[in-house]
Amino acid sequence: MSPPRHNLPLSAGEFVSFVGRERDIVDLGRLLGTARLVTLTGTGGIGKTRLALHLAERVMRRFPDGVRFIDLSEASTHDQALRAVAVGLQAVENDSRTAMDAVITSLRTRNLLLLLDTCEHTVGPMAELCQAVLRDCPRVRILATSRQPLHVPEETIWRVPPLSLPARPTPTDPYAAGPDPIPRRDTQRYESVRLFVTRAHAARTGFEMTRENSGYVAEICRMLDGMPLAIELAAARVRLLSVQQILRRLDDRFQLLTSDGSEDLPPRQRTLRAVLEWSHDLLTDAERLLLHRLSVFSTWYLEAAEDVCSGEGVDPSDILPLHFSLLDKSLVVMDAEIDGTAHYRLTETVRAYAAEHLARSGGGDDRWERYLRFCVTHLEEWAKGDCAPLAWGERLVRLRMLDHHRENHVRVVDWALSRGRVDEALRVCVALRSYWMVRGLAAEGSRVLERALGTDPDGQSPHLRARALALHAELRLDLDTAPRVSTLAMCALEAARACREAGAAASALATMALLSLRTGALDEARQHAERARDWASQVDDPATEVATLDVLAQLARRRGESARASGYLEQSISVAENLGDRWSVARCLHGLGSIAAERRDFARARALFAEALSVFGELEAAPATAHCARELGRLYLAEGEALRAREPLSTCLRVSFTSGQRIAVARALEALAELALAEGEAERAAALVGVAADLRTSLDQPSAETLRLRSAVERRVGGARTAEAWNAWRSLPLEQVLDRALAFPRPPAPVAGGPDSLTPREREVAELAERGLSNREIAERLTISQATVARHIANIFRKLSISSRAQLTGWAVSEDGV
């Protein structure tokens, strides 16, 4: 009898149940066609063994002598490892040759794939064996799995990634009871979700993923970092718990994620804790200390690790080699490279395990204390640098770094508050002021501040508290009702006056001026703005100075004093340009564009909006992008260019949705309703405004715009049809509203030869062209660019089926006579 083709420990039925990794298997199959030694590395539970087994089954037909699987998990010494390989190959030892000789003799003439599984305990002997096989057995290829590479010269390392995960969406409702659902069309895209659903269905036959529980399933997969073993253990719990309960219990994941009693898993993988203890036991004492201390970070770069994690058993000069050893052993993973600085992270599960050990060792508070000092020092240095001239490229680098460390700063504030270190927590928050503003993180920043301000208020430094109160009012401006924000600003102003904190007083007064503007109290707004400017002059705080000038510009615009408003904005641009702050410059350009649009200087307005949008886009500043895109879309509507308005207004809605600000979504829907009216889609306009009205009601921010748009719809289709359309989309989930809002009706084909096919602007241009005016003369007469005139002329020729200006003569008369 011929020997079996393989000894793989999976039956055919289990091969079929393998979920995900389709791309990995295809790519690895190709790689094994050229590389003789491929090592699959990755943290425990990432699925190295299962991937290797299924890959081996897939490529087995390439090897006449099949596949031989060697399990090394029980081997811990050199002799045990080589003997395990010899036994798996049925190679015979005798007194005259060693296990190594027996293995090489057995493989020398064979054409097979040797699968060495779980090599991390025996890296040395397996490296020696692989080198000998590669040298003496030319038709053997090796596939190894290990938590660290074997470091053999011919080795090709394949780091097994987590299963694909749905990105965590920015919630449009930050106060929703549960996570946002996954759109139905996306449920099969993510390997982690597919694995959870498959294993959950096996655990409980009636389990299905629904709109109601899909968000919880996605969040479970995210919290478990796409780790297959952890996801399978979590899915097994649906036999007893709902997915909502599983998610709530994941904070105690090591107790929850245990085997369901089946014997499918080896002992080292029966619980999530066992998987991690298996890796932890392989570390040196210094490596363990560093791993535990790294748990204070959500992400870090090497210099941060050297500052925070050194000392008491870990020399600063040892951080680099220890760090790379942990990276080699798949406990630390590469995170990202931010402008030339490599960042690293622990998976959530490894971090939770390492944090347990750090707390148990009694050294946790010391490490957190060092990390808090590190954050305060660096953030305050950067905040101070924002007030001095700094190249725009440097500002962008800082913004990207702050983006990447956003979770770190929230966590360090939470720790500081839990230990009564309230002043340090407030210092972190105040230093993040400009970052929160640029990124539109008002909701996140204000929630962090609320916790800090509410912790031991009497023990806080008066100056710090005043600045934090003023920042809190500033952040809540677009989130709370006017009375609530007014109360917050008044409290900040009183605190600032009491300790003569000029910057806080100026900020609070600027917030009060904006509130007064929004309620139409222009005299009150002017008084607040002038007092804000007086306070701002006492401190070197360009951010507050620019904010104050912005308020004065808005006030001047409301009074019809556009020249004065432009003057304030130009002054603000001068301040910002001296600092290299293109963000503030772009905001002022946006304001100048709005003034130009009010003057019907459309060409200048478009140019200013375009320049501002380029900076906002470079910054990925969602709220500012949405606001500017909305105004550009409305500018096209004012010019009678409804089709051209679609793109900027679509951008406005998408970006507003991504930002998670419901008021921004409401404003975008209102702008799209205005577009729908311009395109003759009155009932579509009513559906859009109905959703916008609900969002405004939930925020207690009503708008006259809503009433104006509804009245416009009623004038076109009557009250009954308006009411029906108004309610059509209100019960839909917001992501479905997004899809429908962006599914524009096909524009009607123009009727050739008829003036009804021309827009109002095109009719103006056609009449002037008929009188013999040149493009330049038409541009001057209508205050538009010559390029715009040329585009209108081309549209007119197409719609009227003519090819020259001479054919325009008498066109209006002839049409009237039809």
Side-chain angles (χ1 to χ4, degrees), residues 36 63 65 108-113 137-141:
R36 291 196 58 207
F63 300 93
D65 295 316
R108 194 181 298 273
T109 60
R110 297 167 79 178
N111 186 340
L112 59 72
L113 176 66
C137 309
R139 292 186 295 170
V140 173
R141 293 184 187 272

Side-chain angles (χ1 to χ4, degrees), residues 104-292:
I104 297 302
T105 301
S106 172
L107 291 175
R108 194 181 298 273
T109 60
R110 297 167 79 178
N111 186 340
L112 59 72
L113 176 66
L114 179 63
L115 202 171
L116 303 174
D117 185 50
T118 318
C119 297
E120 53 264 21
H121 271 299
T122 55
V123 168
M126 285 305 99
E128 181 185 347
L129 173 68
C130 288
Q131 285 184 286
V133 170
L134 294 174
R135 182 184 64 242
D136 298 329
C137 309
R139 292 186 295 170
V140 173
R141 293 184 187 272
I142 305 169
L143 178 63
T145 75
S146 176
R147 298 187 189 186
Q148 65 186 93
L150 302 180
H151 296 300
V152 173
E154 294 183 54
E155 179 182 32
T156 299
I157 299 168
W158 181 282
R159 296 197 181 274
V160 179
L163 296 178
S164 60
L165 290 164
R168 181 176 281 111
T170 303
T172 308
D173 181 358
Y175 302 101
D180 284 358
I182 308 174
R184 183 179 295 275
R185 64 178 180 272
D186 290 343
T187 53
Q188 292 300 308
R189 286 178 51 194
Y190 305 109
E191 296 167 327
S192 56
V193 173
R194 281 160 46 204
L195 178 63
F196 184 97
V197 172
T198 300
R199 299 299 186 252
H201 185 74
R204 174 157 56 90
T205 305
F207 178 84
E208 289 184 9
M209 190 165 74
T210 64
R211 171 177 169 74
E212 288 69 30
N213 68 20
S214 65
Y216 293 92
V217 171
E219 190 62 22
I220 288 168
C221 294
R222 291 185 201 106
M223 287 190 68
L224 297 176
D225 303 294
M227 182 189 291
L229 174 63
I231 290 170
E232 292 193 349
L233 292 174
R237 299 297 96 192
V238 302
R239 187 175 296 164
L240 301 171
L241 302 170
S242 70
V243 290
Q244 291 90 331
Q245 289 173 306
I246 292 171
L247 180 59
R248 284 197 297 269
R249 290 167 180 257
L250 273 182
D251 283 340
D252 192 11
R253 64 189 70 190
F254 301 115
Q255 180 177 339
L256 175 68
L257 301 184
T258 60
S259 173
D260 60 358
S262 71
E263 300 302 315
D264 294 341
L265 297 172
R268 71 180 187 278
Q269 293 187 355
R270 297 279 167 81
T271 72
L272 194 57
R273 184 179 294 281
V275 170
L276 293 168
E277 285 174 350
W278 173 273
S279 291
H280 194 258
D281 289 345
L282 297 175
L283 303 179
T284 65
D285 288 343
E287 287 172 338
R288 288 175 190 160
L289 283 174
L290 179 57
L291 178 68
H292 302 164

Side-chain angles (χ1 to χ4, degrees), residues 502 505-506 509 527-539 548 552:
L509 283 163
Q527 292 171 10
H528 291 323
E530 288 175 352
R531 290 165 62 205
R533 197 174 188 184
D534 290 341
W535 280 100
S537 66
Q538 301 177 32
V539 290
T548 304
L552 290 167

Side-chain angles (χ1 to χ4, degrees), residues 34-52:
T34 56
R36 291 196 58 207
L37 168 58
V38 176
T39 304
L40 307 183
T41 67
T43 189
I46 202 66
K48 300 181 295 295
T49 297
R50 192 167 294 186
L51 174 59

Side-chain angles (χ1 to χ4, degrees), residues 444-522:
E444 176 181 305
S446 62
R447 284 198 295 272
V448 175
L449 263 174
E450 280 172 8
R451 291 199 304 274
L453 288 166
T455 304
D456 188 22
D458 295 334
Q460 296 171 14
S461 157
H463 289 271
L464 268 175
R465 182 168 178 80
R467 293 166 67 192
L469 285 168
L471 174 56
H472 189 217
E474 193 175 15
L475 291 170
R476 298 305 297 179
L477 190 59
D478 285 327
L479 301 173
D480 276 334
T481 61
R484 160 80 170 145
V485 177
S486 179
T487 300
L488 292 174
M490 282 299 299
C491 288
L493 182 58
E494 290 172 7
R497 282 171 170 164
C499 63
R500 303 298 296 174
E501 179 60 51
S507 175
L509 283 163
T511 299
M512 293 167 70
L514 281 171
L515 274 179
S516 299
L517 267 176
R518 294 180 183 185
T519 57
L522 302 188

Side-chain angles (χ1 to χ4, degrees), residues 662-681:
R662 288 179 292 166
I663 190 61
V665 173
R667 290 169 182 152
L669 291 171
E670 289 162 356
L672 283 166
E674 194 174 333
L675 170 62
L677 283 171
E679 295 187 322
E681 298 284 338

Side-chain angles (χ1 to χ4, degrees), residues 458-766:
D458 295 334
Q460 296 171 14
S461 157
H463 289 271
L464 268 175
R465 182 168 178 80
R467 293 166 67 192
L469 285 168
L471 174 56
H472 189 217
E474 193 175 15
L475 291 170
R476 298 305 297 179
L477 190 59
D478 285 327
L479 301 173
D480 276 334
T481 61
R484 160 80 170 145
V485 177
S486 179
T487 300
L488 292 174
M490 282 299 299
C491 288
L493 182 58
E494 290 172 7
R497 282 171 170 164
C499 63
R500 303 298 296 174
E501 179 60 51
S507 175
L509 283 163
T511 299
M512 293 167 70
L514 281 171
L515 274 179
S516 299
L517 267 176
R518 294 180 183 185
T519 57
L522 302 188
D523 289 338
E524 187 179 272
R526 180 182 55 78
Q527 292 171 10
H528 291 323
E530 288 175 352
R531 290 165 62 205
R533 197 174 188 184
D534 290 341
W535 280 100
S537 66
Q538 301 177 32
V539 290
D540 183 16
D541 184 358
T544 300
E545 183 180 358
V546 168
T548 304
L549 288 168
D550 181 61
V551 174
L552 290 167
Q554 291 187 51
L555 179 62
R557 281 181 62 191
R558 289 287 292 274
R559 291 181 173 276
E561 300 169 346
S562 59
R564 176 172 289 187
S566 298
Y568 286 130
L569 291 173
E570 296 285 0
Q571 188 178 343
S572 187
I573 286 174
S574 177
V575 173
E577 284 182 337
N578 287 337
L579 295 172
D581 179 8
R582 290 188 64 205
W583 153 255
S584 295
V585 170
R587 292 181 66 206
C588 295
L589 291 173
H590 180 189
L592 289 171
S594 300
I595 293 171
E598 290 171 359
R599 292 172 169 172
R600 301 189 66 79
D601 186 352
F602 295 135
R604 174 170 165 75
R606 277 197 305 275
L608 289 165
F609 286 152
E611 189 175 352
L613 274 172
S614 70
V615 177
F616 296 149
E618 188 178 13
L619 282 167
E620 298 179 355
T625 299
H627 188 192
C628 197
R630 186 172 74 252
E631 291 214 40
L632 181 58
R634 284 182 161 157
L635 186 66
Y636 284 128
L637 289 176
E639 292 184 87
E641 298 274 5
L643 283 178
R644 295 188 70 192
R646 286 184 175 187
E647 182 180 351
L649 294 182
S650 298
T651 298
C652 174
L653 181 61
R654 287 193 193 95
V655 172
S656 298
F657 199 91
T658 303
S659 75
Q661 292 186 324
R662 288 179 292 166
I663 190 61
V665 173
R667 290 169 182 152
L669 291 171
E670 289 162 356
L672 283 166
E674 194 174 333
L675 170 62
L677 283 171
E679 295 187 322
E681 298 284 338
E683 289 170 80
R684 173 179 166 82
L688 290 160
V689 182
V691 178
D694 280 354
L695 289 170
R696 285 188 173 280
T697 299
S698 69
L699 294 167
D700 194 21
Q701 292 195 31
S703 169
E705 181 76 353
T706 306
L707 300 176
R708 182 186 69 79
L709 289 166
R710 177 159 187 161
S711 298
V713 174
E714 287 177 343
R715 286 195 299 272
R716 299 194 185 189
V717 299
R721 287 171 63 186
T722 298
E724 183 180 353
W726 183 271
N727 294 317
W729 296 0
R730 292 174 66 192
S731 61
L732 296 177
L734 273 179
E735 66 268 16
Q736 289 186 29
V737 172
L738 174 70
D739 290 340
R740 294 194 181 195
L742 298 180
F744 293 104
R746 180 176 295 176
V751 179
D756 290 344
S757 64
L758 302 183
T759 66
R761 176 62 86 188
E762 287 166 352
R763 290 182 66 87
E764 284 184 288
V765 172

